[in-house]
Amino acid sequence: MVSAGELLLLAGLVLAAAATGDPPGKPENVFCVAVQEKTTISSTFRCDWATVGRQTSDVPTKYTLNVVVIHIRNYSVSTEGTHAQVEFVDTYPHFMTLEIWVEAHNMLGKIESERITQDANSFVKTNPPSDIKVISEKYFPTSPLMNWTQPINKSYGKLKYEIRFCTSGSPNWTYVPKGDIATDIQSFRLQSLQPYTEYITQVRCQLGHWSDWSGTTMKTAEDRPTSKPDLWRTIAEVDGKNERRVQFISKDPVFANGRIITFDIKIQEQKNDNLQWDTILVNGSESSDGQRVITVLKDMLLADLRPVRLCVTANNSVGTSPMASLFISAKGREDPPVKGLKVWSAEGKLWLQWTPPNGPDLSEYVVEWVSGEQTDWQRENKNTRLTAIKGNLEGFVRYTVSVYSIYSGRIGKPASKEAYLKEGAPLEGPVVRLNDKPGRNEAELGWVEIPLHRQRGFIVNYTINYTGGGETHEVTVPGNTVSYTLKSLSSNTKYDTWINASTVRGSAQSSTHSFTTLKYAPGEVESIVVGVSLGFMFVVLMTMLLCLYKKDVIKENVWPRIPNPGESTIGNWSPDYPLKAETPKENCLSGISVQDVDVCDGKSVFEEDKACLPLKKDKYLSEEHSSGIGGSSCMSSPRQSVSDSDEGSDMADTTASTVQYSSVVASNGYKGQTPNPHPQQAVFSRSESTQPLLDSEENPDMMIQESSRQSQGFKQENPAEIHLLEMDQQQEEEGVESLGFCPLDEESEQTKPSEGQSAASSYMSQREGYRPQ
């Protein structure tokens, strides 16, 4: 017997457990199965269940699996887990009824699961069917025959089957309706498959539970192509010619239903339909990535204004496809493009969106993407507004994406955009150089763009960095710029520069380029020299103009004007013979005008000249009585005149400061004048002047130079002679006697002056040759 103390202790433990634990929950989802081993069903019967409620370690819960073969035997197995198995005696009890439940219990209570009562075969899971084969028949390319072997003997029961298939690589399965599959069969003919297509087929069976899938891969037989070839073209301009290089390319028909071995092509111009078909052999190889192979059909030069139509059919071993055609319009006559094209990357794809053009006969669109020399395309329905490129695109590669409108075979103008599926930082920086020699305060930088395959994205900007003179500067320019002029640089300074090329994902730096600015700007030295030269020339020119303009003032200040006695009047003529000046002789060196006096009445002018020659000759040779008349530069030195005896010795002392003047009054008129009807004796009168002697008279050596300089500047009428005449007349009024004179004899002609003597010396010699009567 249990004592009262023990009972109290037990009650205390129960109360403590109740305070920290919960009663067990009802087991649910009891699942039992007996699997196939070789050709029979295993005698091991396994069941699993799910617990309900919170379990604690303080109050552990135990489970008991109960399996009862009704009217035969009971099996019980206890466990602390959620699964257990029992071993049937001998063999699995086929065709018998089983009752199954699970009991959960702990210190706080006990509970049972729902009881399952079913036939023993409903818990059996057989192996999947084996030896599956799919036979593709030539005359039934879309209906291959599928065979297999049952996994278990029919004596265990009739099996049900389930069949599914899909194209190779597709995640989407197609299930054969269960009503079309009979029970306990070992073959089935599939329907509506595509010819010459690789499929994966699977089958499973059911006795109690469904078996696993078993399957195989097969390819259907060839059939005649049921769709058109996917025809396209590429066009490139030819430099210097009015031609285009057109390349016609094609993909196999979507439903080629076999291996394409040839293409038949025909090029039509206008409505000429009598041309023969050309056959293009192809190798029929397929791309490893599942993409359709592109075949070049024709490469030709096409005139800009020449429209053509290309017709193409594809052939396999069974038959010929429907014909596809493509019309190439004349250049500049294409139909309008789509509007508002947008291209962007999202979800690992390139997406396109556009607005349709205004065209009633629009039939479809062609989406083209080009990278380098690689071209691919896909076709879209005419109602498409948004699509994604279905081809295999690579990241970090720039694609030119274009959308073409197709108008019943005619290709419209494209709408194009450039895009990346994925962008990254450039692999290298640009190559930096100087476009020209650096200047004094500026330098023009240029750089070569990064090769397209190494840009890995759109260049959004360039950052120019340059250092010089201890300072670092930074300039950012747009991504489409390839040159920039650095300004406000210091002269004669070395600069280091580099450029960073940036995308939205990063940047890359170029190598460093160095240059040195000039000390002087180009042309600056030349400008200074030219400016100074022009300034000097301007000063010289203005000085010359000023000298010309002020020549009279300069002449008076530099060469003061001295009266020339040689230009004075030395003759006092009779009032009956008016004074007439004569043009100076050209060979006169002194510039003094010489007057010829007619001394013989009734003689001609030539005879008068001859009569006067002896007189002139004597006067030239008479150096003793030279009077220094008029300060002529032809006279060597002042001499005492004939009248010096009257004045006495005092007069001789003042010869250097006083010039004696004499006048000769001829009896006949001056040459060219009318002689007086009452001839009279020639009169020689003298006068004295207080005018100082000229430098030429005091310096004989200057006589000839002065005379030659003035010989050409005297006028015919000599004001000096008129002045001397007036002075002689004044002396006559004061009572000075006039002395008569007569010409000397012919012997005086021997004393004729040489041609080098001046007219003034000749004239003075004449005065000395006359004597008073």
Side-chain angles (χ1 to χ4, degrees):
M1 290 182 63
V2 179
S3 64
E6 292 178 349
L7 291 176
L8 292 175
L9 179 61
L10 181 61
L13 292 174
V14 171
L15 292 175
T20 59
D22 293 318
K26 183 178 180 181
E28 295 181 353
N29 299 327
V30 178
F31 176 80
C32 299
V33 60
V35 298
Q36 180 179 355
E37 289 183 352
K38 297 181 180 180
T39 59
T40 61
I41 303 301
S42 174
S43 60
T44 301
F45 191 80
R46 176 189 174 94
C47 294
D48 295 271
W49 58 88
T51 62
V52 177
R54 186 171 64 90
Q55 305 294 324
T56 63
S57 59
D58 295 333
V59 183
T61 301
K62 292 184 178 181
Y63 299 94
T64 303
L65 172 62
N66 299 288
V67 179
V68 177
V69 179
I70 297 178
H71 306 301
I72 300 296
R73 182 173 294 184
N74 297 338
Y75 299 91
S76 297
V77 177
S78 297
T79 181
E80 294 181 355
T82 59
H83 59 83
Q85 61 185 26
V86 298
E87 295 289 336
F88 292 114
V89 178
D90 298 330
T91 61
Y92 186 80
H94 292 284
F95 308 111
M96 295 184 179
T97 304
L98 300 180
E99 185 178 13
I100 306 167
W101 73 94
V102 177
E103 183 180 280
H105 54 88
N106 61 15
M107 296 176 59
L108 301 179
K110 179 176 69 173
I111 191 171
E112 294 182 354
S113 68
E114 297 290 338
R115 296 195 178 195
I116 301 173
T117 302
Q118 292 181 356
D119 184 83
N121 284 345
S122 63
F123 299 101
V124 173
K125 180 181 179 181
T126 65
N127 293 333
S130 59
D131 299 331
I132 299 175
K133 298 178 180 178
V134 179
I135 302 172
S136 180
E137 300 172 310
K138 181 178 180 181
Y139 299 102
F140 301 96
T142 62
S143 299
L145 181 62
M146 188 175 184
N147 295 326
W148 62 86
T149 301
Q150 287 186 351
I152 196 171
N153 194 284
K154 294 181 179 180
S155 59
Y156 293 102
K158 294 182 178 181
L159 299 176
K160 297 180 180 178
Y161 294 94
E162 190 174 30
I163 302 172
R164 66 181 182 180
F165 60 87
C166 68
T167 58
S168 180
S170 174
N172 300 320
W173 292 93
T174 300
Y175 287 83
V176 177
K178 293 181 179 181
D180 295 342
I181 303 174
T183 304
D184 197 19
I185 59 175
Q186 299 186 47
S187 65
F188 185 82
R189 184 174 291 276
L190 302 174
Q191 304 290 331
S192 302
L193 273 65
Q194 292 294 327
Y196 203 71
T197 304
E198 190 174 75
Y199 284 94
I200 297 175
T201 58
Q202 292 182 344
V203 62
R204 66 178 179 176
C205 59
Q206 179 188 38
L207 181 60
H209 298 295
W210 284 104
S211 69
D212 296 333
W213 290 97
S214 64
T216 187
T217 300
M218 50 82 61
K219 194 171 188 178
T220 56
E222 290 189 27
D223 194 8
R224 182 183 68 84
T226 56
S227 62
K228 301 177 182 180
D230 194 353
L231 184 60
W232 193 235
R233 93 289 178 269
T234 62
I235 298 178
E237 300 294 334
V238 179
D239 295 336
K241 296 183 180 180
N242 295 324
E243 293 180 327
R244 298 166 288 173
R245 181 172 296 279
V246 180
Q247 188 179 71
F248 293 101
I249 53 180
S250 177
K251 295 179 184 178
D252 294 349
V254 175
F255 301 108
N257 298 339
R259 185 174 65 87
I260 301 300
I261 55 178
T262 61
F263 285 96
D264 293 333
I265 66 172
K266 181 171 65 175
I267 297 178
Q268 296 177 325
E269 295 187 25
Q270 297 179 353
K271 296 183 179 180
N272 184 10
D273 197 19
N274 298 323
L275 298 177
Q276 298 295 325
W277 289 84
D278 293 332
T279 300
I280 306 297
L281 295 175
V282 295
N283 57 15
S285 61
E286 296 181 1
S287 175
S288 58
D289 57 2
Q291 298 295 312
R292 291 181 293 164
V293 177
I294 298 175
T295 304
V296 178
L297 302 179
K298 187 76 173 179
D299 196 342
M300 61 182 295
L301 289 175
L302 184 64
D304 290 344
L305 300 179
R306 176 188 171 192
V308 297
R309 180 184 294 274
L310 179 69
C311 300
V312 178
T313 58
N315 306 297
N316 62 11
S317 61
V318 178
T320 302
S321 71
M323 185 180 69
S325 64
L326 191 66
F327 184 79
I328 307 297
S329 304
K331 186 177 180 180
R333 299 181 181 177
E334 297 90 347
D335 293 301
V338 299
K339 304 175 183 178
L341 176 63
K342 298 179 181 179
V343 181
W344 70 94
S345 175
E347 301 176 358
K349 296 181 180 180
L350 272 182
W351 293 86
L352 297 86
Q353 186 177 18
W354 64 84
T355 301
N358 297 324
D361 55 347
L362 178 66
S363 57
E364 61 179 345
Y365 297 103
V366 171
V367 177
E368 178 192 64
W369 57 97
V370 179
S371 174
E373 296 182 355
Q374 301 296 323
T375 301
D376 203 351
W377 68 95
Q378 68 187 36
R379 298 184 180 273
E380 299 291 342
N381 187 274
K382 66 179 181 179
N383 297 322
T384 303
R385 303 292 181 268
L386 175 67
T387 188
I389 292 178
K390 301 176 178 66
N392 293 332
L393 301 180
E394 299 180 11
F396 315 119
V397 176
R398 182 180 297 184
Y399 291 94
T400 300
V401 182
S402 303
V403 177
Y404 293 83
S405 303
I406 308 300
Y407 300 86
S408 302
R410 302 189 315 274
I411 303 175
K413 293 181 179 180
S416 303
K417 294 283 186 180
E418 291 185 335
Y420 282 90
L421 178 65
K422 184 179 180 181
E423 293 190 62
L427 296 178
E428 63 184 39
V431 178
V432 185
R433 67 179 187 276
L434 283 179
N435 287 343
D436 201 353
K437 294 182 179 180
R440 181 174 181 269
N441 300 112
E442 62 182 28
E444 184 179 1
L445 289 179
W447 54 90
V448 180
E449 290 185 344
I450 304 172
L452 194 61
H453 66 281
R454 300 185 68 82
Q455 291 185 13
R456 306 182 77 212
F458 292 109
I459 303 298
V460 293
N461 59 60
Y462 292 100
T463 302
I464 303 172
N465 302 274
Y466 60 99
T467 61
E471 297 182 355
T472 301
H473 303 273
E474 183 178 289
V475 179
T476 301
V477 297
N480 58 355
T481 306
V482 294
S483 65
Y484 184 79
T485 300
L486 303 178
K487 298 182 179 180
S488 301
L489 303 179
S490 300
S491 62
N492 196 24
T493 303
K494 181 180 178 182
Y495 284 90
D496 297 326
T497 181
W498 66 92
I499 296 179
N500 292 334
S502 302
T503 66
V504 294
R505 297 297 181 183
S507 62
Q509 180 177 316
S510 69
S511 58
T512 301
H513 182 80
S514 301
F515 64 91
T516 302
T517 55
L518 300 178
K519 187 174 183 180
Y520 298 101
E524 184 175 359
V525 176
E526 292 82 353
S527 300
I528 294 174
V529 172
V530 171
V532 172
S533 300
L534 291 177
F536 178 75
M537 293 177 62
F538 177 77
V539 171
V540 172
L541 180 60
M542 294 302 296
T543 303
M544 294 176 62
L545 293 176
L546 182 61
C547 291
L548 292 176
Y549 183 72
K550 298 292 185 178
K551 63 180 180 178
D552 295 336
V553 177
I554 296 174
K555 183 176 180 181
E556 290 179 0
N557 292 325
V558 178
W559 298 285
R561 182 176 181 182
I562 301 174
N564 189 353
E567 297 178 357
S568 64
T569 302
I570 63 174
N572 186 13
W573 304 99
S574 173
D576 295 333
Y577 299 95
L579 180 64
K580 180 178 181 182
E582 187 177 0
T583 306
K585 299 296 184 177
E586 294 180 358
N587 59 355
C588 179
L589 299 176
S590 65
I592 299 175
S593 63
V594 180
Q595 296 180 347
D596 295 333
V597 181
D598 194 357
V599 297
C600 298
D601 296 336
K603 294 182 181 182
S604 65
V605 176
F606 298 101
E607 291 175 351
E608 292 174 359
D609 293 339
K610 290 178 181 180
C612 294
L613 286 176
L615 175 61
K616 296 177 180 179
K617 185 184 298 184
D618 293 339
K619 297 302 178 181
Y620 283 121
L621 296 176
S622 179
E623 297 178 359
E624 181 180 359
H625 300 284
S626 176
S627 62
I629 298 172
S632 173
S633 62
C634 295
M635 301 174 66
S636 63
S637 64
R639 298 292 183 220
Q640 188 174 2
S641 66
V642 177
S643 61
D644 290 345
S645 60
D646 296 338
E647 301 296 331
S649 60
D650 295 336
M651 295 292 292
D653 296 333
T654 60
T655 304
S657 61
T658 304
V659 180
Q660 298 176 0
Y661 292 91
S662 297
S663 62
V664 179
V665 181
S667 60
N668 295 327
Y670 182 68
K671 181 171 57 176
Q673 296 178 348
T674 304
N676 192 348
H678 302 285
Q680 59 183 6
Q681 298 278 332
V683 180
F684 177 81
S685 63
R686 66 176 183 174
S687 64
E688 294 198 9
S689 173
T690 60
Q691 180 176 354
L693 294 177
L694 302 177
D695 292 339
S696 60
E697 292 175 309
E698 296 178 357
N699 301 293
D701 296 337
M702 298 176 59
M703 178 177 62
I704 296 175
Q705 297 178 3
E706 183 69 21
S707 62
S708 63
R709 193 164 55 243
Q710 296 178 356
S711 61
Q712 301 297 327
F714 294 136
K715 299 181 180 178
Q716 184 174 1
E717 295 181 358
N718 198 325
E721 294 177 355
I722 298 173
H723 177 67
L724 291 175
L725 180 58
E726 292 176 354
M727 292 177 63
D728 290 341
Q729 290 176 359
Q730 183 177 3
Q731 290 175 359
E732 289 178 359
E733 292 177 358
E734 293 177 356
V736 180
E737 292 182 354
S738 300
L739 298 179
F741 67 92
C742 63
L744 297 177
D745 53 11
E746 294 180 358
E747 294 177 358
S748 63
E749 293 182 1
Q750 297 176 1
T751 64
K752 183 178 180 180
S754 64
E755 294 179 358
Q757 291 177 321
S758 66
S761 298
S762 175
Y763 200 89
M764 294 301 298
S765 299
Q766 290 179 21
R767 290 183 61 187
E768 295 294 332
Y770 285 97
R771 297 293 185 269
Q773 295 179 358

